[in-house]
Amino acid sequence: MKISDKIRVAVLFGGRSAEHEVSLQSARNVIQYLDPSRFEIVPIGIDKQGDWFLGNDIFTRSLEQNKVPKSLDNDTWFTPEWVGKSVTTTKDQQALSPSLNKQMFDVVFPVVHGTLCEDGTLQGLLELANLPYVGCGVLSSAIGMDKDISKRLAINAGIPVPAYMTIKADQWRANAAHFAALIKDKLSYPVFVKPANTGSSIGVSKAKDEKALFAAIEDAFRFDTKIVVEKSLNNIHELEVAVLESLEPNTDPIISVVGEIKPKGHEFYSYDAKYTDEHGAELLIPAPITNEIKEKARAAAKELFLLLECEGMARVDLFFDKDTQQIYFNEINTLPGFTKISMYPKLMDASGVSYSELLTHLIQLAIKRYQTKSQLIRSYAG
Ligand SMILES: Nc1ncnc2c1ncn2[C@@H]1O[C@H](COP(=O)(O)OP(=O)(O)O)[C@@H](O)[C@H]1O
Ligand SMILES: [Mg+2]
C-alpha cells in the first residue's frame, strides 16, 4: 500500500440478503462521510443474485431504484459462480482483467447486513482474496449471526439469556406436536419465534397461543432451516451498547454509553417499527436507567465482545428485565445499521467518536489487522 496516496476504500453494499435495502441507506451515509482528504471511494453494489457491479454510476442507480439493479452483462465485475471455472469466455476476461493488472482498492468496507454478508461467508471470500476488510473476521461474524450458537457461548460464560429452544426444519416437520407441547410446557406463552440467522426482525414473530405459534414457525422456516423459540420477557428496557476495538495494542475496547430502544405503537421492535414506520420507535441516548444498570450493561457488552472474539466493532443488544432486575443477552450485531441516525454510530457519537472519526478508526483497524496477519507463517518446513 502506498502510504503517501489516499487509501482506496471499496464500499460494498446491497447483497444477497433480506436486508439489501437497509444496506443501501447505510452505504449512502458511509460514502458521504468518509473523510475525502484520506480516502478514495470505490462503490461496489452486490445485487440480489450475488453479482458485483462497480462504480459511482451503479451506486447512484441503486439509490434511485432502492436496490442494486441487474446490470448489463459486461458491467459485472465479479460473480462468485466463476470460482473454480475457467476464465476463457469474453465476459470473464473483461471482468477479471482489471484486478489482475492492478489492485483496484486497498481495503474493503462491507456495509451489508444479514445472511451471506454478515455471517462470515463474505469475510471468508475477502480472506481468500487477501484483502483487508472492516469489522469482524470469519469466526465472530458466523457466531454473531447465529442466535443459537452465540447464546450457547453466553450461557457457557454464565451470562443469562431468555430461556429458549432450537428447532431444525426436519425435526419440526417430523414432530411438530411434540415441540408445540414442549414450548407450552417449558417456555410458556407468549414466545418469540426467530430464524436463527437473520437480522432486522425479518421472520421474527411473537406468538401468544398455539395457533399463532404454528404460523410463526412456518414463517420463520421461510428464512432459515434453524429457528429459535424463546420465552418473551414482558417488562423490559431494550438496551444497546456499541463496542469499538481500540487501535492501541493490549487496550480494552471502547464501550459506548448505553442506549435504549422503545418501540412505539408496535408490540416489539419489528421490521415495520425499525424501517417502515418513521415513528415506530424511540432511540433514547442515554437510556433512562440507573447508573448501576448502565455499568452492568457496559460490562456485559465488553465481556460478550471479547467472549465472541469480535474484531473491529459490534453492537451488543441486551434486555434489562424490570421484574427480575436481571440483564439478559439478546444478540450481537457484527455489521450493525450504519446510517448516521442508526444506533451504533449515534452511541459512538454520544461517547465522543464522531461518525467520520468512527469510519476512519474502523479502516485503520482493518489495515492494522491485515498487517499483523500478513506476518504469520503460512508454510512450515519443520
Ligand atoms: N425474548 C424476548 N422478549 C421480549 N422481546 C423480544 C425477545 N426477543 C426478541 N424480542 C423483540 O424482538 C425484536 C427482534 O428480535 P431480535 O432477536 O433482536 O432479532 P433481530 O436480529 O432480527 O433484530 C427485539 O428487538 C425485541 O423488541
Ligand atoms: Mg435485534
Side-chain angles (χ1 to χ4, degrees):
M1 195 179 298
K2 288 168 281 170
I3 290 161
S4 57
D5 290 350
K6 284 189 193 177
I7 296 171
R8 293 162 305 169
V9 183
V11 175
L12 293 190
F13 58 93
R16 263 171 77 192
S17 151
E19 291 165 90
H20 185 98
E21 292 76 12
V22 180
S23 150
L24 298 191
Q25 300 314 320
S26 295
R28 181 205 291 268
N29 283 169
V30 169
I31 286 176
Q32 190 180 351
Y33 284 91
L34 271 170
D35 180 353
S37 69
R38 287 167 172 254
F39 305 114
E40 194 182 305
I41 296 160
V42 184
I44 299 178
I46 307 175
D47 74 8
K48 289 194 173 182
Q49 285 68 46
D51 291 339
W52 298 29
F53 305 97
L54 187 117
N56 285 311
D57 177 47
I58 203 78
F59 176 57
T60 314
R61 280 194 284 149
S62 300
L63 291 182
E64 280 164 10
Q65 299 182 26
N66 197 29
K67 64 170 192 209
V68 178
K70 188 83 207 146
S71 219
L72 297 172
D73 255 358
N74 58 3
D75 284 347
T76 309
W77 176 66
F78 171 78
T79 172
E81 282 156 27
W82 296 342
V83 174
K85 293 189 182 153
S86 81
V87 287
T88 49
T89 70
T90 314
K91 179 183 159 190
D92 292 356
Q93 273 172 347
Q94 255 186 5
L96 288 175
S97 55
S99 57
L100 291 180
N101 295 340
K102 182 173 168 285
Q103 199 184 333
M104 297 173 78
F105 39 78
D106 304 306
V107 57
V108 177
F109 198 142
V111 189
V112 284
H113 313 294
T115 42
L116 300 171
C117 293
E118 191 179 346
D119 61 357
T121 49
L122 176 64
Q123 289 69 19
L125 181 74
L126 296 173
E127 290 285 347
L128 286 172
N130 198 22
L131 285 165
Y133 57 93
V134 165
C136 285
V138 173
L139 178 67
S140 51
S141 298
I143 293 172
M145 192 72 205
D146 190 307
K147 290 185 164 64
D148 169 40
I149 303 288
S150 55
K151 280 185 174 69
R152 283 197 231 171
L153 289 171
I155 293 167
N156 198 261
I159 300 170
V161 304
Y164 81 102
M165 75 179 62
T166 305
I167 310 174
K168 302 260 179 76
D170 290 350
Q171 297 174 315
W172 174 252
R173 309 257 183 264
N175 217 342
H178 162 74
F179 284 105
L182 263 184
I183 289 163
K184 189 173 170 208
D185 190 36
K186 300 256 185 258
L187 303 179
S188 75
Y189 292 108
V191 290
F192 273 85
V193 178
K194 312 172 183 181
N197 289 279
T198 57
S200 292
S201 299
I202 290 163
V204 175
S205 326
K206 185 174 179 177
K208 295 182 181 166
D209 55 33
E210 192 167 295
K211 185 163 175 264
L213 176 77
F214 274 72
I217 290 181
E218 285 307 328
D219 186 51
F221 276 132
R222 290 167 54 221
F223 299 97
D224 201 346
T225 53
K226 179 169 80 166
I227 61 166
V228 296
V229 182
E230 181 173 316
K231 187 179 176 61
S232 170
L233 304 178
N234 298 320
N235 191 14
I236 51 170
H237 284 287
E238 203 168 332
L239 305 178
E240 301 196 345
V241 186
V243 186
L244 177 65
E245 188 184 331
S246 169
L247 276 162
E248 307 301 323
N250 291 319
T251 312
D252 278 348
I254 299 161
I255 314 294
S256 76
V257 298
V258 181
E260 177 172 357
I261 299 283
K262 265 199 144 143
K264 279 182 86 180
H266 298 264
E267 197 165 349
F268 68 96
Y269 198 31
S270 61
Y271 185 90
D272 284 346
K274 285 178 184 174
Y275 305 112
T276 317
D277 178 358
E278 216 185 307
H279 308 290
E282 270 182 301
L283 272 59
L284 308 176
I285 300 175
I289 49 172
T290 64
N291 282 339
E292 193 196 337
I293 305 170
K294 277 181 196 158
E295 286 318 310
K296 280 190 181 157
R298 295 178 75 234
K302 178 179 154 192
E303 192 181 350
L304 284 153
F305 185 86
L306 298 174
L307 177 77
L308 304 180
E309 303 209 355
C310 294
E311 293 167 294
M313 65 173 153
R315 199 192 70 221
V316 181
D317 296 355
L318 306 163
F319 297 132
F320 176 72
D321 187 332
K322 295 182 222 175
D323 296 335
T324 59
Q325 294 285 303
Q326 176 98 268
I327 287 181
Y328 292 88
F329 168 57
N330 175 33
E331 59 156 345
I332 193 158
N333 289 283
T334 53
L335 283 175
F338 232 88
T339 70
K340 208 167 170 285
I341 55 161
S342 298
M343 197 54 143
Y344 185 90
K346 278 183 77 168
L347 286 172
M348 274 298 151
D349 192 54
S351 312
V353 186
S354 75
Y355 191 79
S356 286
E357 283 167 353
L358 174 61
L359 299 176
T360 301
H361 187 114
L362 286 167
I363 291 168
Q364 286 170 334
L365 282 173
I367 293 169
K368 186 172 154 244
R369 172 180 57 188
Y370 177 81
Q371 286 168 344
T372 307
K373 281 179 89 171
S374 303
Q375 285 158 14
L376 297 176
I377 294 170
R378 296 290 184 203
S379 68
Y380 182 60

